[in-house]
Amino acid sequence: MKLALVRDAEPPLVDRPRLKSIKDLGLPGDADGFVKGLLDIFFERAPALMNDLAQALDGRDSHKVEKLAHALKGTAGNLGASRMMHLAERLESLGRSRSLEGEAVQILEALKASYPDTRHELLREYKS
Amino acid sequence: MKGNLNDTYTITLDDDVMVHQIIERSTKMKTIGLKDPEELLSRLDDLHPVAVFIDIHLGTGRTGLEILPHLRTAWPFCPILVITGTPAEHSIVKALNSGADDFIRKPLIPDEVDARFKLRMADAAQKAAKEVVEFGDIVIDSAHRTVEGPLGKRFASPIEINLLACLANTEGSIVEKDALKMRCWGQIKVTDNALHRKLHAVRQLLKDISPNVHIETKYGVGFYLKFHGHQQAHLSVAS
């Protein structure tokens, strides 16, 4: 089920051109740490949002799920973390339609599972 | 970034500080980043941004969308760009109808943010060039919020100036009630009473500066500005 959820959308972990457009905002070699600062915000925010999402799902709070997933979608999307962005978008949509009974839990699991690889890939791209 | 209020800056309202930073870098202009719509509302009088970026879905109380008309009232000529991460087009339409000038989508694309920002700033500059409007024997200066005529010069509130400039810009055409509300307040939900109170205030102001310019009411249609002695053979309706 988990694999199917990822395979359905199959976006890359990281959208390189998008991440590059953000990297280009920084100084050469990220001398002022601008891009690293953004990555750190993501590394702090994404796990926190996923924890809050788990609680909101447990509580069947669809409005909260929608809001938190929307926030996660935004923060992932800004750095080009495509797979997490798309999964968060699907969760947001389920929250909006108050359909938390079905695949919502699996999507959150897929999000959690894709986070370490996303983090690794973002750092690798950052250093490249 | 906290920002020195004496400098030129934009405001970004979004609960994600990443968005503040990306907008600041993309536009190459300092931004004052805020997370809470209520905080922005409480600081309207102190802040004088050159442009505002606002997430319309933000807020646990009032949303970004709901505070838009307040921003438009406080900063009549300031470009307001809404940030939306929702595909629903109706929210963008609502935002544009509530006083926003443009929108940018999340995920943010730096070049797009910069292009839209520059476009709206250019629009604002063009509007500013037209901020001095003459009608009959009065001169309305929106930038300095003054109205001057043969009897003297008066200062007016932003909405009063907006209202008068809007009527003067149509050069005597009738402006429909709802169109006037939209142009002055950024929304049409404003009560008729509020509009009439403002019209009354502007009529009083006109009396002080010129005996020749009046706001006329075309019942059931709208309002228009009339210069005494100036024949208006045909009145068209401006919306």
Side-chain angles (χ1 to χ4, degrees):
Chain A
M1 184 66 177
K2 205 185 288 179
L3 279 176
L5 285 165
V6 174
R7 202 183 301 126
D8 279 350
E10 204 60 43
L13 276 174
V14 173
D15 177 341
R16 288 193 180 88
R18 191 173 287 280
L19 181 58
K20 185 178 180 304
S21 73
I22 296 297
K23 278 176 75 176
D24 288 346
L25 291 176
L27 296 176
D30 198 30
D32 60 351
F34 170 74
V35 182
K36 185 64 169 63
L38 294 183
L39 289 174
D40 287 342
I41 292 170
F42 177 69
F43 297 152
E44 187 182 325
R45 203 159 184 246
L49 285 168
M50 287 190 290
N51 280 340
D52 292 348
L53 269 168
Q55 286 178 21
L57 269 176
D58 278 348
R60 292 283 178 269
D61 187 339
S62 53
H63 181 64
K64 210 166 176 183
V65 167
E66 182 191 353
K67 285 252 172 195
L68 291 165
H70 179 79
L72 183 57
K73 179 183 78 174
T75 199
N78 285 331
L79 290 178
S82 296
R83 190 170 302 170
M84 287 188 71
M85 182 186 82
H86 282 91
L87 289 165
E89 188 170 29
R90 289 170 65 186
L91 207 47
E92 179 191 12
S93 170
L94 292 175
R96 192 182 304 122
S97 60
R98 299 179 181 179
S99 316
L100 302 185
E101 299 303 323
E103 59 179 357
V105 173
Q106 281 84 25
I107 293 177
L108 181 59
E109 287 308 312
L111 263 169
K112 285 179 178 170
S114 65
Y115 174 68
D117 290 342
T118 301
R119 180 190 163 95
H120 178 78
E121 190 70 6
L122 284 172
L123 285 171
R124 201 177 64 81
E125 286 293 327
Y126 168 67
K127 288 168 188 162
S128 68
Chain B
M1 185 175 279
K2 283 180 183 172
N4 180 341
L5 297 189
N6 295 319
D7 294 341
T8 302
Y9 57 87
T10 66
I11 290 174
T12 302
L13 178 69
D14 197 296
D15 64 346
D16 187 349
V17 292
M18 205 188 281
V19 171
H20 307 167
Q21 296 183 22
I22 292 173
I23 285 179
E24 184 168 272
R25 284 288 170 120
S26 302
T27 59
K28 299 170 195 73
M29 184 176 286
K30 179 163 60 192
T31 199
I32 294 179
L34 300 172
K35 291 180 168 184
D36 181 5
E38 298 299 333
E39 189 190 352
L40 177 53
L41 282 183
S42 71
R43 296 180 62 185
L44 286 185
D45 291 340
D46 306 326
L47 296 169
H48 304 283
V50 297
V52 180
F53 295 89
I54 172 171
D55 184 338
I56 46 177
H57 297 289
L58 192 65
T60 46
R62 271 181 287 192
T63 63
L65 187 63
E66 284 166 329
I67 70 162
L68 265 179
H70 298 277
L71 306 189
R72 180 47 75 216
T73 303
W75 305 314
F77 304 106
C78 171
I80 299 177
L81 295 94
V82 297
I83 310 166
T84 177
T86 304
E89 298 296 332
H90 67 87
S91 62
I92 296 170
V93 173
K94 260 189 198 169
L96 294 174
N97 284 337
S98 300
D101 297 293
D102 207 342
F103 65 91
I104 50 176
R105 290 181 193 272
K106 283 183 186 173
L108 299 175
I109 300 168
D111 285 347
E112 185 187 320
V113 172
D114 190 37
R116 297 228 183 226
F117 170 67
K118 284 197 176 119
L119 190 66
R120 292 303 148 205
M121 291 299 284
D123 271 0
Q126 218 170 22
K127 272 186 201 164
K130 290 180 189 167
E131 275 178 11
V132 177
V133 183
E134 288 181 29
F135 185 90
D137 57 6
I138 68 167
V139 178
I140 304 150
D141 184 337
S142 299
H144 298 96
R145 301 219 312 257
T146 59
V147 189
E148 191 169 7
L151 302 181
K153 185 175 183 175
R154 283 274 310 270
F155 287 95
S157 74
I159 289 183
E160 289 164 4
I161 280 287
N162 246 355
L163 199 151
L164 201 48
C166 174
L167 290 170
N169 269 325
T170 59
E171 295 172 357
S173 295
I174 297 170
V175 182
E176 288 175 323
K177 186 176 68 184
D178 284 349
L180 201 53
K181 286 178 181 178
M182 180 63 81
R183 289 187 192 188
C184 296
W185 280 273
Q187 56 170 319
I188 58 172
K189 284 181 188 166
V190 175
T191 64
D192 286 356
N193 269 346
L195 176 62
H196 286 294
R197 275 199 300 275
K198 281 293 169 198
L199 283 165
H200 178 72
V202 174
R203 283 179 168 128
Q204 293 300 315
L205 183 150
L206 283 172
K207 271 186 193 169
D208 291 346
I209 59 151
S210 168
N212 305 315
V213 177
H214 307 278
I215 297 176
E216 302 285 340
T217 305
K218 186 84 173 171
Y219 288 99
V221 186
F223 307 91
Y224 62 98
L225 211 53
K226 187 173 183 183
F227 179 49
H228 184 71
H230 179 70
Q231 282 298 101
Q232 282 162 302
H234 174 71
L235 287 173
S236 57
V237 178
S239 56

